[in-house]
Amino acid sequence: MVLPTLTDEKRKEALEKAAIVRRERAQLKKDLKEGKVKLSEVLEKGKTCDIAGKLKVTALLTSMPGVGQAKANAIMTEIGISETRRVAGLGPHQQAKLIDIFG
């Protein structure tokens, strides 16, 4: 597959857009860690919003207070979530189990 060649202007626009998305995703994780947003809200938002929907579940869980990489991996294994899964790709049963664990 050949990638399209971008003009300098198009490349600059794409880089700016990517930077905005990264900032918004970082803010979402920060709000989750500080308790300003609930996990259930992020899961619901992930159905319609690309910012939350394209967030990896591993990153989501490690953003929870008191959850590190090992605990996140254990939870994901217990529920049956792949380590590459994104929030938008979670099934209803997986979402329900995460909400049961984290409220």
Side-chain angles (χ1 to χ4, degrees), residues 44-54 88:
E44 188 62 36
K45 191 175 182 180
K47 296 176 184 176
T48 58
C49 173
D50 278 350
I51 302 298
K54 291 187 178 181

Side-chain angles (χ1 to χ4, degrees), residues 32 37-44 60-61 64-65 75 95-103:
L32 192 61
V37 177
K38 292 183 180 181
L39 181 80
S40 57
E41 294 172 359
V42 176
L43 294 176
E44 188 62 36
L60 174 73
L61 294 180
M64 296 295 296
I75 291 168
Q95 288 183 2
K97 288 180 183 179
L98 285 175
I99 292 170
D100 285 345
I101 294 171
F102 294 105

Side-chain angles (χ1 to χ4, degrees), residues 9-93:
E9 183 178 314
K10 291 285 187 183
R11 181 174 283 113
K12 184 178 176 184
E13 287 174 17
L15 288 172
E16 288 173 1
K17 182 179 176 184
I20 290 169
V21 169
R22 283 192 302 272
R23 276 194 299 273
E24 289 178 6
R25 200 168 284 133
Q27 184 63 46
L28 179 65
K29 292 191 302 185
K30 181 181 176 196
D31 289 346
L32 192 61
K33 185 165 282 294
E34 293 174 353
K36 295 178 183 177
V37 177
K38 292 183 180 181
L39 181 80
S40 57
E41 294 172 359
V42 176
L43 294 176
E44 188 62 36
K45 191 175 182 180
K47 296 176 184 176
T48 58
C49 173
D50 278 350
I51 302 298
K54 291 187 178 181
L55 179 65
K56 287 195 174 191
V57 176
T58 304
L60 174 73
L61 294 180
T62 56
S63 296
M64 296 295 296
V67 178
Q69 190 66 43
K71 192 170 186 179
N73 287 340
I75 291 168
M76 290 173 63
T77 301
E78 176 186 329
I79 296 174
I81 301 173
S82 169
E83 64 184 40
T84 59
R85 179 70 62 205
R86 296 185 186 273
V87 171
L90 290 174
H93 297 294

